[in-house]
Structure formats: structure tokens, C-alpha cells
Amino acid sequence: MLLRRKFLQQSLLGSLGVLIGKEQLRASPVGGKLGKASGPVVISTWAPNAKANAAAWQVLAANGRALDALEKGIHVTEADPTDQSVGYGGLPDRDGKVTVDSCVMDEWGNCGAVMCLEHILHPVSVARLVMERTPHVQLVGEGALKFALEQGFSKTNLLTPEAEKAWRNWLKTSRYDPMITVEHLEERNKKNKKKPGQQHDHDTIGMLALDSNGNLSGACSTSGMAFKMNGRVGDSPIIGAGLFVDNEVGAATATGVGEEIVRICGSHTIVEMMRAGHSPEEACKKAVERIVKRNGLQKAKEIQAGFIAINKQGEVGAYSLIDGFNYAVHTESGPYTKNAKFLI
Ligand code: SD4
């Protein structure tokens, strides 16, 4: 009898132990404590997204979760009509429709994405709900819209008068130029020496954060390449291409010509490079080198691709194919922006 009671007690404790073990795992997915970083860090593609970082920082500074911080931050850019590559104000496809792509990935390796979604102001939040409330990772087009409306999102007209004007202007030539929202370097440098990434000239927001619990997450949101074919999806909502997070190692995200980034599985490549011991900057450079290798130097000069990365220690880095890519960082010492190094 005594033996039996002891056995029952032990097995109860045993299963409690397993439960406690799982609970601990939930509270601190991998790693836990911060490494070299003195506090949370958030990094975004493109300097003007410092405003998104500032919103994210409020959550991070209050010891909030990285994913919550990123969602808040990305909302700022999605609602900004002057950003012609993200959400409201984004340039439409060749049929005049603004279609948006977004994805999120958290510290557990959970992820969610929406692609070719119309009429929704905050696709990043729909992507998060795909992750949290469905058994799926990706929803596209009509199905994604239906899901968003079911979840309580309302329809918004994302096409601003300025974006419509730009589209009508484009119709005169109907020449698809993948650089249109990214860089017109030569033209621009000749005209006014303006570098892309300045106030009225910014692109896809990819955003990564390390929170005060030492956990990493990422999010990305875009209206994609201007005047793309209807139905076209780039890298931004594709896990592994436009975004990848491995809470043991680091996270990466991308901006630029999505087709090229998908072809080399850019963000996943960068995380694997960091796993192999490269710094975030070196890892981004390695991904850029793959694009050059695949295309050859001459063709690569016509392409822009920019990557940012963060490792588990909170070190950040970036690299782009050609000149003009910049990024914004916010740490406990404050915000800063930086021009990325470029390869060719
Ligand atoms: C895409 N990568 O849809 C996005 C476009 C982009 O800055 O980054 N624009 O291919």
C-alpha cells in the first residue's frame, strides 16, 4: 500500500515535472538571457522607418514581447500615405489595384503570412492572426480578405490620389521597371544627387527585434513592386525569403527585387550564415554575393537587394547589392540610422 502510494506520488511528481519543464520552455523558448546586448534592440529596413522603431521601442522599453513591438511599429508605416511601397499609399499593380503582402515570425518559430491581400490597412495584423488562429501559415487573395473581415478588420481604400496619379502616368508607357520603387540611382544622382531611402523615397518595411527576455521576432510588410502583374507575390511574405527568425541564432529580413531574394532564399541563408559563425553584416554580404554569382556582375548592377540582420547577442548588420540602402536601429542608447555597405 505504502509502496503504491509512493509510486503514485512519484509518477504525479514526474508528470508535474514534465509540465513544469514545458512551462519553463514556454516562458523562455531558447536561450533566455541577453548576451552582449545591454538591452532590447529593434532594426528596420530604410532610415525613414525610424518612426516605426520609435513605436516599437515603447513596447520593448516596457519589457514587452518583440512580436508585439514589431506589430506596433509596422502599423506606423502601413498607415503612412507617403510610403509608396507599404500599405496605405502604396503604388498599385498594373491593373490599378493595391495588393499587400506581409508576414510575421516569432520566437517559437511560429509564422503567418498574407499575400496579395486587398483593402486591408494593417496586413501585418492579419498575418499575425493567420499564425495565431488558423492551422495554416499562408492565406492569399480572396481567402485572406475573407479571413480578415471575419476577424473584424474593415475594408479601406488603400489607393491614394497620389498613387493613382503615378499609376495613370505609368500607363502611358506601361514599362515594368523593378527598380521603380527601389532605386533610380543614375537618374537620381544625375538630377539632384539624392540618394534613395530619404524622406519621400522609401520601401518595404522589414523589422527585427530582440526583447528584454532575449527573444527574437520579425515582421515584414509591403505593397510589393510597383506596377507588378496582378497576383504577383514577391519575397516579403515568404518565410525564408523576406523574413526568417531562429531564436537560437538570429533573424534577417529583406527589401528589394523580391524575385532575386526568393531565388536565393535570402533571409534563411543569412540566418544559416550567422549559425555558421558570421556576424550579421558578413552574413548579409554572403547573401548579396549569391545574387551576384547567380546573375553575373553586369546584370546584378541593375538589381537592388538589401538585407538587415540581428543575432542573439543583439548585434546588428546590413548589406546591399548596390548603393542607396539604409536602415534604422533603436537601442537603449537611442535611435540611429546608417547607410548599408554595398557590394557593387
Ligand atoms: C517585393 N521586396 O515585393 C518587395 C519590394 C520591396 O522595397 O522591397 N520594395 O519584391
Side-chain angles (χ1 to χ4, degrees):
M1 189 64 187
L2 201 68
L3 267 180
R4 190 177 131 80
R5 195 175 296 149
K6 203 167 177 189
F7 169 76
L8 282 177
Q9 272 172 355
Q10 272 172 356
S11 37
L12 189 66
L13 279 176
S15 44
L16 266 178
V18 172
L19 276 180
I20 288 167
K22 268 196 191 142
E23 221 15 78
Q24 278 168 348
L25 199 67
R26 283 202 73 79
S28 176
V30 195
K33 287 279 163 282
L34 289 172
K36 281 183 228 155
S38 57
V41 185
V42 58
I43 175 168
S44 291
T45 53
W46 304 106
N49 285 322
K51 62 187 187 296
N53 285 357
W57 187 257
Q58 290 180 356
V59 178
L60 293 173
N63 297 324
R65 188 179 171 207
L67 187 70
D68 294 330
L70 297 175
E71 188 179 8
K72 273 245 156 55
I74 287 203
H75 279 184
V76 174
T77 305
E78 285 177 337
D80 177 359
T82 71
D83 192 315
Q84 295 205 306
S85 297
V86 181
Y88 181 60
L91 292 171
D93 65 17
R94 59 177 58 176
D95 298 348
K97 294 179 175 163
V98 182
T99 66
V100 293
D101 304 324
S102 180
C103 71
V104 297
M105 190 160 186
D106 74 6
E107 66 271 38
W108 304 99
N110 296 317
C111 45
V114 287
M115 307 177 191
C116 204
L117 174 64
E118 282 184 74
H119 315 302
I120 297 292
L121 183 59
H122 292 307
V124 72
S125 296
V126 187
R128 181 171 179 170
L129 292 184
V130 171
M131 173 177 87
E132 291 178 343
R133 297 192 184 163
T134 81
H136 308 303
V137 166
Q138 296 154 189
L139 288 180
V140 307
E142 280 297 313
L145 178 61
K146 196 171 144 207
F147 172 70
L149 298 176
E150 279 165 10
Q151 295 298 316
F153 291 80
S154 47
K155 279 191 173 185
T156 306
N157 178 14
L158 300 179
L159 187 66
T160 57
E162 291 75 18
E164 185 175 355
K165 196 172 154 204
W167 170 63
R168 296 207 178 278
N169 211 26
W170 175 81
L171 283 175
K172 291 179 195 157
T173 59
S174 297
R175 196 174 70 87
Y176 179 64
D177 175 2
M179 302 294 269
I180 203 119
T181 59
V182 187
E183 331 286 328
H184 270 308
L185 264 186
E186 273 182 41
E187 201 180 291
R188 232 171 251 166
N189 287 347
K190 260 189 256 154
K191 258 198 215 152
N192 51 10
K193 300 210 164 43
K194 214 182 113 196
K195 285 276 166 68
Q198 290 176 348
Q199 204 185 350
H200 297 295
D201 182 23
H202 30 259
D203 292 274
T204 295
I205 178 164
M207 209 172 179
L208 312 168
L210 178 72
D211 64 29
S212 58
N213 286 316
N215 287 324
L216 290 161
S217 288
C220 192
S221 188
T222 191
S223 52
M225 303 307 290
F227 318 128
K228 61 194 176 185
M229 287 173 71
N230 182 242
R232 179 265 188 193
V233 172
D235 62 306
S236 303
I238 309 281
I239 298 296
L243 176 72
F244 196 71
V245 178
D246 183 328
N247 201 35
E248 279 185 31
V249 176
T253 185
T255 180
V257 181
E259 284 73 5
E260 295 300 330
I261 295 161
V262 168
R263 286 182 185 118
I264 61 147
C265 209
S267 296
H268 183 260
T269 295
I270 292 167
V271 172
E272 289 310 304
M273 294 292 175
M274 290 193 285
R275 193 192 308 279
H278 293 288
S279 71
E281 183 183 292
E282 284 166 4
C284 291
K285 186 179 181 195
K286 295 253 173 228
V288 169
E289 283 168 353
R290 285 196 183 180
I291 297 179
V292 177
K293 191 167 177 204
R294 230 193 56 76
N295 287 280
L297 199 60
Q298 263 335 92
K299 196 173 161 223
K301 283 183 182 161
E302 303 297 313
I303 300 166
Q304 178 58 307
F307 296 101
I308 57 171
I310 183 168
N311 65 16
K312 190 72 179 166
Q313 287 71 45
E315 295 162 336
V316 296
Y319 226 90
S320 67
L321 199 43
I322 59 174
D323 193 8
F325 175 49
N326 50 32
Y327 59 102
V329 182
H330 203 126
T331 70
E332 274 189 338
S333 339
Y336 67 91
T337 60
K338 214 168 168 176
N339 291 327
K341 289 187 191 160
F342 55 97
L343 200 63
I344 52 179

